[in-house]
Amino acid sequence: MEKMISGKQVSVNEEGFLTDFSQWNKDIANEIAKEENIQLTERHWEVINYLQEQHRKEIPMSIRKIRNSGVVDIKEFYQLFPQGPLKTASKIAGIPKPVSCI
Amino acid sequence: MKKILILGAGTGGTMMANHLKKALNPKQWEISIVDENQTHYYQPGYLFLPFDIYQPEDIIKPIKEFIPEGVDLLHRKIDKIVAAENYVQFSDGGRIDYDILIVATGAKIAPEEVEGMKGAEWRNSIFDFYTFDGALALRDKLKEWRGGKLLVHITEMPIKCPVAPLEFAFLADSFFKHKKMRAQVDITFVTPLSGAFTKPKATEALGYLLQEKNIHIVEDFAIEKVDNENKKIIDYGDREISFDLLVTVPTNKGDELIARSEMGDELNFVPTNKTTLQSNAYKNVFVIGDASNIAVSKAGSVAHFEAEILTENILHYIHDEPLKSEFDGHTNCFIETGDGKALLIDFNYTHEPVEGTFPFPGVGPMQLLKESRMNHFGKLAFRWVYWNMLLPGKHIPFVPTEMNEAGKHFD
């Protein structure tokens, strides 16, 4: 489905995740973050950049990868993106959430 | 004489031994397969052991029964692969050279990855069912268990057969109903993902199952540690869930020999090209099944489809041709839902599981993404198919290597 985020028409799924990463920009990230009650800081951006870098390399994300990333430790990751941090951070980064087979 | 060496005689390795025996000229190629074990386990059967649906003898056979004549089966322990010099070092000091190496060393559980998981309560009130002895220990526990709070828990992804934990929860519901003690058991499914189902069509079609079976769900739970004393699992966000019986799927890792060979990622899975199945680091090393890091389900059906593609690509490699056979991520699984019913799913890298008919478009007889008794019989019949068709490397009739888009409802 289509949604207007920050003045731009983008494709999203039922949960509001972007389905086309090429449509992502920083304004969109800020607006999705606002919906999640998060004000993006420099630390948030470092995590978002890391997630996007891994996504481009087609590496599926997990809490373990975050822990080993050297970018952020898990306690801080939870502080930055409370409640389901991997899901929330992925949504703001414009990439799909981690999934299983069904 | 050139040498092709297969490491691991599980599902993937055994299938490759059978495929390559047929495909290669025995005057030019010597095929060897190494596995330290004598027994082949039918791993999909582990799900049924705890509920006494299968008996141990139903799911074990000697490895050698499935290795064709003319393939050298070596029961030796591997120390490491020295890929830069094309040989494998055995633990007892000997070595074997190869021209082509196939890594089929699988994945196994690593409960020690989570603090406290392998503590005082391990095999007391904490069990796994991803190992033969774990599944049997759980069977014995379930026989005497009087009820309470049962957690069915996934530690982290990726795991073998990602849907097995959910099947376990469904079968547990059935099991306790038949024992007339369902009211005394609270079943909660705990997952690090955003739900029991994570794909849109499956969520829509199957969401009712949890409600119908009164299975509670805790999502986005990234476990940090197990508190053995108070019987609780605790996540990084400081959420706590108490249990009387914890059935967990611990972290899954590739074999330690991959770490010793410095060929793996942080979970010892080998970085592999997802379409050609060639290792990213070495051109004469190929990877099949659970041992690779590619983003497909770690499951026998995947290894089966991979084996057909990999055989073609090894022939291309031998003839110095581009590796033009491409694996599409095809996966096909029966999913037990309890009460004598099951689901069937069929999907690949680009298409999520959807409703439809299988294997004949518009006809069936199997229904995709819908519960039916027929699918349950399909799951039980699969054990015969596994021993008699899959392992010997026979093509399964009507089930193409590349996923068929016909007969599926993709909107």
Side-chain angles (χ1 to χ4, degrees):
Chain A
M1 63 183 93
E2 298 287 307
K3 189 180 173 186
M4 192 70 97
I5 305 180
S6 180
K8 195 180 166 188
Q9 189 87 355
V10 292
S11 308
V12 295
N13 69 13
E14 292 83 348
E15 294 176 293
F17 283 74
L18 261 59
T19 53
D20 179 358
F21 179 51
S22 70
Q23 294 178 331
W24 180 90
N25 64 38
K26 288 194 167 187
D27 295 334
I28 289 172
N30 277 312
E31 190 152 322
I32 296 175
K34 218 180 284 172
E35 285 172 20
E36 300 283 337
N37 295 316
I38 295 169
Q39 183 71 40
L40 296 182
T41 66
E42 203 47 48
R43 289 298 285 154
H44 289 96
W45 282 111
E46 284 172 37
V47 175
I48 292 166
N49 290 338
Y50 170 76
L51 289 178
Q52 292 180 337
E53 207 178 291
Q54 300 305 304
H55 175 69
R56 286 188 200 100
K57 289 192 244 170
E58 294 190 22
I59 298 174
M61 258 313 107
S62 64
I63 290 287
R64 173 182 294 266
K65 297 257 187 201
I66 298 283
R67 204 169 68 200
N68 294 345
S69 66
V71 176
V72 65
D73 68 33
I74 298 304
K75 292 288 173 199
E76 188 186 358
F77 189 44
Y78 269 83
Q79 283 157 14
L80 293 171
F81 304 94
Q83 289 148 19
L86 198 50
K87 187 175 63 178
T88 309
S90 297
K91 191 174 183 183
I92 296 168
I95 65 176
K97 68 179 181 184
V99 291
S100 183
C101 57
I102 57 170
Chain B
M1 199 74 153
K2 295 210 167 193
K3 287 182 178 168
I4 194 156
L5 177 62
I6 304 166
L7 302 184
T11 311
T14 301
M15 288 191 296
M16 286 312 293
N18 283 292
H19 278 294
L20 291 171
K21 183 74 191 75
K22 281 174 252 173
L24 297 176
N25 181 348
K27 291 202 176 77
Q28 290 170 349
W29 285 91
E30 194 178 293
I31 308 168
S32 304
I33 184 165
V34 186
D35 198 304
E36 62 185 289
N37 300 307
Q38 307 279 345
T39 304
H40 188 116
Y41 295 90
Y42 173 62
Q43 293 185 63
Y46 291 170
L47 173 67
F48 294 116
L49 286 182
F51 304 108
D52 242 357
I53 299 170
Y54 281 171
Q55 298 310 309
E57 60 271 21
D58 295 335
I59 67 166
I60 54 176
K61 287 183 191 280
I63 283 177
K64 64 174 190 294
E65 264 186 41
F66 301 96
I67 305 302
E69 214 163 303
V71 171
D72 199 15
L73 171 62
L74 306 167
H75 291 298
R76 297 179 75 173
K77 196 166 163 51
I78 300 159
D79 176 34
K80 62 181 174 185
I81 303 161
V82 185
E85 296 173 49
N86 305 312
Y87 73 89
V88 165
Q89 179 77 50
F90 294 118
S91 301
D92 61 13
R95 64 180 251 186
I96 183 169
D97 297 313
Y98 62 80
D99 294 285
I100 295 172
L101 182 72
I102 298 170
V103 178
T105 45
K108 52 177 124 182
I109 61 162
E112 64 280 2
E113 288 287 328
V114 172
E115 185 189 328
M117 190 174 274
K118 238 183 155 175
E121 289 301 317
W122 180 253
R123 301 266 162 104
N124 225 342
S125 62
I126 303 175
F127 292 85
D128 81 282
F129 67 97
Y130 270 43
T131 54
F132 185 65
D133 53 344
L136 287 178
L138 180 53
R139 176 195 65 181
D140 296 342
K141 175 75 180 183
L142 289 179
K143 274 186 186 152
E144 49 137 66
W145 195 52
R146 312 293 289 270
K149 193 163 181 192
L150 167 64
L151 302 185
V152 183
H153 168 250
I154 301 173
T155 300
E156 62 180 310
M157 300 299 287
I159 57 170
K160 291 197 261 199
C161 192
V163 83
L166 198 53
E167 293 180 275
F168 185 93
F170 292 153
L171 288 175
D173 167 68
S174 240
F175 177 81
F176 293 121
K177 267 195 281 196
H178 282 119
K179 283 186 89 173
K180 310 242 180 289
M181 57 179 283
R182 183 64 179 88
Q184 283 80 54
V185 180
D186 176 309
I187 305 177
T188 303
F189 186 76
V190 185
T191 170
L193 296 168
S194 61
F197 304 102
T198 54
K199 303 252 172 109
K201 297 282 179 200
T203 308
E204 200 180 309
L206 305 175
Y208 74 93
L209 282 168
L210 294 167
Q211 232 174 358
E212 181 188 281
K213 296 172 192 301
N214 194 22
I215 295 168
H216 305 111
I217 171 136
V218 176
E219 50 214 34
D220 296 314
F221 191 90
I223 188 169
E224 182 182 10
K225 57 188 171 203
V226 178
D227 176 348
N228 282 266
E229 210 170 308
N230 300 303
K231 290 201 184 175
K232 278 179 186 168
I233 53 174
I234 300 160
D235 95 338
Y236 285 104
D238 296 326
R239 274 191 295 173
E240 298 184 348
I241 313 173
S242 62
F243 62 85
D244 296 300
L245 179 57
L246 172 62
V247 176
T248 185
V249 180
T251 303
N252 280 206
K253 291 176 84 171
D255 200 282
E256 277 300 317
L257 91 90
I258 301 300
R260 291 195 295 271
S261 311
E262 296 177 19
M263 287 175 72
D265 63 13
E266 76 276 18
L267 286 170
N268 303 341
F269 295 122
V270 184
T272 303
N273 183 297
K274 71 173 191 179
T275 60
T276 65
L277 307 176
Q278 187 176 43
S279 114
N280 289 347
Y282 302 97
K283 284 194 159 42
N284 62 338
V285 176
F286 297 85
V287 191
I288 187 166
D290 301 352
S292 91
N293 77 331
I294 64 176
V296 290
S297 295
K298 295 189 181 300
S301 75
V302 173
H304 163 74
F305 297 126
E306 285 177 342
E308 301 193 352
I309 299 291
L310 183 53
T311 304
E312 291 171 15
N313 272 344
I314 284 176
L315 293 176
H316 289 314
Y317 178 81
I318 287 170
H319 297 130
D320 237 350
E321 296 161 359
L323 306 181
K324 58 187 173 210
S325 299
E326 297 198 338
F327 179 55
D328 67 351
H330 192 185
T331 309
N332 179 288
C333 302
F334 291 105
I335 301 170
E336 282 294 297
T337 52
D339 302 327
K341 290 189 217 162
L343 301 160
L344 178 62
I345 54 173
D346 192 61
F347 61 102
N348 66 9
Y349 285 137
T350 50
H351 293 79
E352 66 173 302
V354 292
E355 291 179 26
T357 44
F358 185 88
F360 303 107
V363 176
M366 308 281 189
Q367 295 270 320
L368 292 169
L369 213 53
K370 267 203 185 120
E371 280 187 287
S372 77
R373 293 200 181 275
M374 175 69 115
N375 289 338
H376 170 67
F377 291 119
K379 175 122 182 165
L380 296 182
F382 185 72
R383 182 161 54 110
W384 186 90
V385 171
Y386 181 86
W387 295 122
N388 296 286
M389 301 186 77
L390 219 70
L391 288 183
K394 290 182 184 151
H395 190 82
I396 312 282
F398 319 120
V399 182
T401 304
E402 285 174 10
M403 193 198 79
N404 191 353
E405 290 180 29
K408 296 196 171 81
H409 309 160
F410 291 117
D411 288 330

